[in-house]
Every structure is written in structure tokens, then in C-alpha cells.
């Protein structure tokens, strides 16, 4: 399907793009950008809290190490707070060694004994040291005389092993250094995020380009219009359309295909073998039988199928109902045969008239009467024999006509001994189709053979009809018994309508539709015997009805 030309899409408008490719690309870029920004934010938020916690724990660890220094508690008892005192010297040494912002040692009154700014020694601390002086460790982010910092406070105990709190140690880590570490990670994080964004954008572009090729650069409105047009076209055409995917599942069935195949909408999405019986129809649809204008029989319908492969490994199959055309073709064959028979009868009738005229001119009147009586009697005897044993009028008329046509082809058609069919046939037209096909095939097979003959047997067994047609032709090889009931199989030349191999499949379908069967076997002395069993083919007998043939009223 080709995309409509750009000139047919109206004037170019600014704003949101119309084509599928552009819309999908923009949506993918927006999603990728949003996900990248969200992921970066979700990473930075816990990182800031993690750096704060790390700084507070570091300050607490320095404070604990300072409080554990031997002599600090004793110096706090025995000396006065001063810039040159031993407590200040020890605290400054620790501060410089650890890189802390301050290390403050205080007594129980909160008076500083150490501070990075020596003039603040002897003053009370700016934040409440109560928790530390009560023996608890403290971690916090707070602001003091040196600004905002991450702090750790611990109690300062007396002599070794004593639980007496004589003061507290407070250590601060400059908060600006923590913030600097956080800001220092941002460029690297943004570089990773940018790389991920670039890779995602490239992948989105490649996917969108592939989508552009697959959608033929159509706009969503174009696709919607095409789908609407496709639905309208599929459901309005008088051909069946079946679309299959690469695994043999049915993608879609239009209304005509559902009618021809006897399926419903629920068949879509299911494998062919699940919705159709195994046979030629499934083989044709699945592509196991290849060719153009392939014939298949589905139920009582004759279908003409053509299959075209698609790029994704699936196929589209079109089906045409050839049932009526096939019937017309077979009627044409019959009409042609009748015309030939009538032409032969015309010659024979002319010969008889000439014979009769000669007898009359020779004044051989008694011989002329015997000749006419003999000719008329033969045909009347044949008709009466058929109507006496086959009491359904349609079937009897068929057999009389077929006997005449067979006779003109040099084939003798007679009823088998024991033939008797009452006038209770449920489906006379179906039985006429079965008998007509089998007699036609038998006539073709027997014509030209020595002592060419056909024997037709019809008998009732309760409500079951058993039909047996025997011919004197060349017969059928046993290995072909199964294949002769396959659509398209035939040993004859093509007829006027160009197709053969449908008669026996139709006979089998008609028999199976009534729960019956059709079989073939070899005949004694050569030829073939076809046997059809049709259960429930006869209606219930009416005891008050007596057929004229049984009383002899018309004989």
C-alpha cells in the first residue's frame, strides 16, 4: 500500500506534527528526558542526606576519639581555661589532624576550654549541650558561632572506668565542605545522565525511523481512514477474504468468507486446523497445495481459491463461490451430451421412418405394424420397468433419461435385481445428484469397452437407502481408492467449463452430511462398484397409502 502524496494532505500546519514517525519520536524523547531527570533527582536527593549523615558520623567519631584521650578530663579538673592551656593544645592538635572545623571541650557549665578562636575560650557555648552533659551522644546539623556545620557531641567522663560526666566534647565539620562534595558529584552525574539521554534519543530515532518505513510515513488520520476504508471494502465485496499469519492462525475473515466456509467471527485468532476439518480446503488455505484458481469443496459449496504470500510470512486467500457456475458447467456437459444423443436419435429416427415408409410402399402392412410395435414397446418397457422399481418420480425420470443417453453411447443401463425404492425419499434432489454423478462416471468408464453395461441398484433397509452402481469399465487401482474422492482428481479430459474432479467429492460430502458413507471396490469380471449408504434418507412409511405400481392399476 503506497502512502498518499504529501500534496493531498492539505496545507502544512505548525504545531503538533501529524505523521506517526514525528509524534512517536517526540513522545519517546519526552519520556526519555523525563525519566532521566527523574532518575537524576531521585539519585541526588538521597545523596545529599547520605553526605550529611556521613559528615555527622565523622564529627561524632572525632568527638569520641577526643573524649577518649588520656589526661583531658584530668586537665579539665586541675587547670583553668586558657589559650595556652593543655586542653586547648590537645584539641587544636586533633582539629588540625582530622580537618574538622572545630573541636570544643567544655565543662559541666558549658564553658569552653578549647576553640579555634582563642578569644572565645572561657565563654559559654552558643548551642545547648544538655543532651551530651546528660550522657547521650548527639548528631545534628546546626548553626553556631562559626556558621552552619555537621556536629557530633559526646559526654566527657572522669577517671578511667568512671561514669561521672565532667564535661562534653563537641566537634563540627564545615557544612560548606559537605555541600561542595555534593556539588562536585553533579557534573559527573549529569555527564552520565546526558550520555544515557543521548543513547536513548538515538534508539528512539532508530525505532521511529523503522516505524516510519513500516507505516509509509502516514499520519494517524491517514491510518484511521485506511482502516475504515479497508473494513468497508472487506465487508462489502462479494469475494471471501481470509488473512493468515506466519503460524497459520486466522487474522481476519470477512462476511463472505464466513458464509462460504461456514464459520463465525470467533474463528479469528485460531489455527485453521481447529476451525476446519482436515482436507483439501485446509491444504489450499495453508498453502500446502499451490497453483492458481484452485478448487476446493466446503460442505455443499464448490470454492475457487487463490493465495498470495505476505512479507511477514502470512498469506491472504481469496475465495469465490463456484457452486452455481459448477452446476451450470455440469448442466452444460449434460446438455452437450443430450444434444449429441438427440442428434444420434434423429439419425436413428430418420432411418426408422425410411424403413417404415419402405414397408408401406411395398404394401407390407403387417410387417410395418410389427416394426412400429417393437420400437415403441422397447422404450415403454424400459420406462415402466424403472417406474415400477423406483417410485420417486425425480429419480425415475433421471434413470430413464440416463438410460437413453447411455444407449446412444453404446452402454446398456439396467436396474440390479432386488431394486426397490419407495416414494418416501426425504431429499430427492440430493439423491438425484448422487445417482447422476455416479451414473455419469460409470457411463464414461464403460463407454467403448466390450459388452459395455451399467447396473444400478437401489434398495431400502428401514429408513436407510443403499445405492450401488457397477460398470464394466477398466476399474480403479486399489491404491487410488482414497485419492479419487479428492477434489481435482480425474482421469478425464477437461470439459467445456474447464474443471473436473468434483463429482465424487460432492457425492462423498452429500453422503457424509447425512451421516452416510461412500466406498469403492473392484467388480467381479472387471470394472468398479461404488456403494453409497444414506441413513435416514427415507421418511416414515404411511400404512394407508398404496402405490399404484403395487396394484397394477397403471400396468
Amino acid at each position: 500500500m503506497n502512502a498518499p502524496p504529501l500534496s493531498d494532505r492539505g496545507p502544512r500546519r505548525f504545531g503538533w506534527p501529524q505523521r506517526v514517525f514525528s509524534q512517536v519520536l517526540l513522545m519517546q524523547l519526552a519520556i526519555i528526558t523525563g525519566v532521566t531527570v527523574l532518575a537524576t533527582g531521585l539519585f541526588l536527593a538521597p545523596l545529599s542526606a547520605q553526605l550529611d549523615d556521613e559528615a555527622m558520623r565523622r564529627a561524632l567519631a572525632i568527638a569520641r576519639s577526643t573524649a577518649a584521650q588520656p589526661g583531658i578530663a584530668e586537665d579539665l579538673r586541675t587547670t583553668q581555661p586558657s589559650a595556652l592551656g593543655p586542653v586547648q593544645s590537645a584539641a587544636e592538635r586533633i582539629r588540625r589532624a582530622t580537618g574538622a572545623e572545630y573541636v570544643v571541650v567544655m565543662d559541666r557549665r558549658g564553658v569552653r576550654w578549647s576553640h579555634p578562636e582563642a578569644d572565645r575560650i572561657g565563654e559559654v557555648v552558643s548551642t545547648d549541650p544538655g543532651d551530651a552533659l546528660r550522657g547521650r551522644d548527639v548528631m545534628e546539623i546546626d548553626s553556631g558561632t562559626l556558621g552552619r556545620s555537621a556536629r557530633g557531641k559526646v559526654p566527657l567522663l572522669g577517671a578511667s572506668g568512671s561514669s561521672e560526666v565532667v564535661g562534653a566534647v563537641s566537634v563540627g565539620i564545615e557544612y560548606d565542605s559537605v555541600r561542595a562534595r555534593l556539588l562536585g558529584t553533579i557534573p559527573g552525574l549529569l555527564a552520565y545522565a546526558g550520555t544515557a539521554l543521548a543513547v536513548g534519543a538515538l534508539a528512539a530515532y532508530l525505532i521511529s525511523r523503522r516505524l516510519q518505513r513500516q507505516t509509509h510515513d502516514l499520519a494517524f488520520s491517514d491510518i484511521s481512514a485506511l482502516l475504515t476504508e479497508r473494513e468497508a471494502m472487506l465487508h462489502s465485496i462479494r469475494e471471501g477474504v481470509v488473512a493468515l499469519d506466519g503460524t497459520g492462525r486466522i487474522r481476519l475473515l470477512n462476511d463472505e468468507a464466513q458464509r462460504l466456509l461456514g464459520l463465525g467471527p470467533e474463528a479469528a485468532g485460531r489455527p485453521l486446523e481447529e476451525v476446519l476439518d482436515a482436507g483439501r480446503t485446509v491444504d489450499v488455505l495453508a498453502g500446502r497445495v499451490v497453483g492458481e484458481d484452485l478448487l476446493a469443496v466446503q460442505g455443499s459449496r464448490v470454492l475457487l481459491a487463490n493465495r498470495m504470500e505476505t512479507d511477514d510470512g502470512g498469506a491472504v486467500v481469496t475465495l469465490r463461490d463456484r457452486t452455481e457456475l459448477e452446476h451450470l458447467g455440469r448442466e452444460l456437459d449434460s446438455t452437450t451430451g443430450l444434444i449429441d444423443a438427440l442428434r444420434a436419435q434423429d439419425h436413428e429416427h430418420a432411418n426408422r421412418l425410411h424403413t417404415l415408409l419402405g414397408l408401406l410402399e411395398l404394401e407390407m402392412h403387417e410387417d410395418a405394424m410389427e416394426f412400429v410395435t417393437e420400437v415403441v414397446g422397447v422404450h415403454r418397457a424400459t420406462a415402466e420397468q424403472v417406474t415400477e422399481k423406483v417410485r420417486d418420480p425425480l429419480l425415475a425420470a433421471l434413470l430413464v433419461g440416463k438410460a437413453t443417453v447411455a444407449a446412444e453411447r453404446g452402454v446398456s443401463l439396467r436396474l440390479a435385481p432386488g431394486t426397490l425404492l419407495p416414494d418416501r425419499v426425504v431429499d430427492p434432489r440430493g439423491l438425484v445428484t448422487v445417482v447422476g454423478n455416479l451414473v455419469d462416471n460409470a457411463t464414461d468408464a464403460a463407454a467403448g469397452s466390450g459388452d459395455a453395461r451399467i447396473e444400478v441398484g437401489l434398495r431400502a433397509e428401514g429408513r436407510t437407502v443403499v445405492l450401488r452402481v457397477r460398470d464394466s469399465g477398466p476399474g480403479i487401482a486399489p491404491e487410488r481408492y482414497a485419492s479419487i474422492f479428492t477434489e481435482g482428481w480425474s482421469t478425464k479430459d477437461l470439459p467445456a467449463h474447464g474443471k473436473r474432479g468434483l463429482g465424487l467429492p460432492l457425492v462423498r460430502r452429500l453422503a457424509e452430511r447425512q451421516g452416510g458413507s461412500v466406498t469403492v471396490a473392484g467388480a467381479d469380471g472387471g470394472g468398479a462398484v461404488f456403494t453409497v449408504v444414506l441413513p435416514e434418507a427415507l421418511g416414515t412409511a404411511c400404512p394407508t397409502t398404496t402405490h399404484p405400481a403395487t396394484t397394477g392399476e397403471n400396468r
Side-chain angles (χ1 to χ4, degrees), residues 142-182:
D142 203 354
S143 298
T145 57
L146 296 179
R148 191 169 179 79
S149 60
R151 303 181 176 190
K153 298 177 182 180
V154 298
L156 180 63
L157 302 179
S160 177
S162 174
S163 60
E164 179 187 6
V165 178
V166 298
V169 178
S170 176
V171 177
I173 303 296
E174 186 179 6
Y175 195 73
D176 289 341
S177 65
V178 178
R179 184 183 305 168
R181 288 184 61 193
L182 176 64

Side-chain angles (χ1 to χ4, degrees), residues 40 43 54 62 129 140 270 285 306 314 351 370 510:
T40 303
F43 180 78
E54 181 182 342
I62 295 173
E140 61 184 1
R270 298 171 60 188
L285 293 178
N306 284 283
N351 292 333
E370 292 179 1
L510 288 171

Side-chain angles (χ1 to χ4, degrees), residues 224-252:
S224 177
L226 287 173
L227 287 175
T228 302
E229 293 170 1
R230 189 200 72 162
E231 289 298 313
M233 178 182 66
L234 285 177
H235 295 290
S236 63
I237 60 176
R238 300 305 300 167
E239 284 193 358
V241 178
V242 181
L244 306 170
D245 63 15
T247 63
R249 292 182 178 271
I250 299 175
R251 283 176 174 166
L252 66 87

Side-chain angles (χ1 to χ4, degrees), residues 379-429:
H379 291 283
R380 179 177 298 172
T382 301
E384 289 184 354
Q385 181 188 18
V386 171
T387 55
E388 179 183 0
K389 295 184 177 182
V390 180
R391 297 172 183 174
D392 182 84
L394 285 179
L395 195 56
L398 172 72
L399 290 174
V400 170
K402 294 296 184 182
T404 302
V405 174
E408 297 301 331
R409 297 184 61 182
V411 179
S412 172
L413 188 152
R414 63 172 180 255
L415 296 179
T419 295
L420 182 61
L421 184 70
D423 188 10
R424 293 186 285 111
V425 179
V426 175
D427 182 15
R429 294 184 180 274

Side-chain angles (χ1 to χ4, degrees), residues 347-362:
H347 288 290
E348 183 180 357
H349 186 61
N351 292 333
R352 289 171 178 171
L353 287 179
H354 292 157
T355 302
L356 180 60
L357 179 60
L359 292 173
L360 293 176
E361 287 180 350
L362 295 174

Side-chain angles (χ1 to χ4, degrees), residues 89-161:
S89 299
E92 283 299 295
R93 184 177 67 256
I94 294 173
R95 181 182 70 82
R96 288 191 293 269
T98 60
E101 183 180 14
Y102 64 85
V103 176
V104 174
V105 180
M106 67 192 79
D107 59 16
R108 289 190 58 83
R109 298 169 300 167
V111 177
R112 300 186 183 98
W113 286 64
S114 65
H115 196 277
E117 297 177 358
D119 55 348
R120 294 186 180 275
I121 296 175
E123 297 179 356
V124 178
V125 295
S126 58
T127 59
D128 183 17
D131 289 339
L133 293 175
R134 285 189 288 271
R136 292 195 295 268
D137 294 345
V138 177
M139 292 192 305
E140 61 184 1
I141 302 292
D142 203 354
S143 298
T145 57
L146 296 179
R148 191 169 179 79
S149 60
R151 303 181 176 190
K153 298 177 182 180
V154 298
L156 180 63
L157 302 179
S160 177

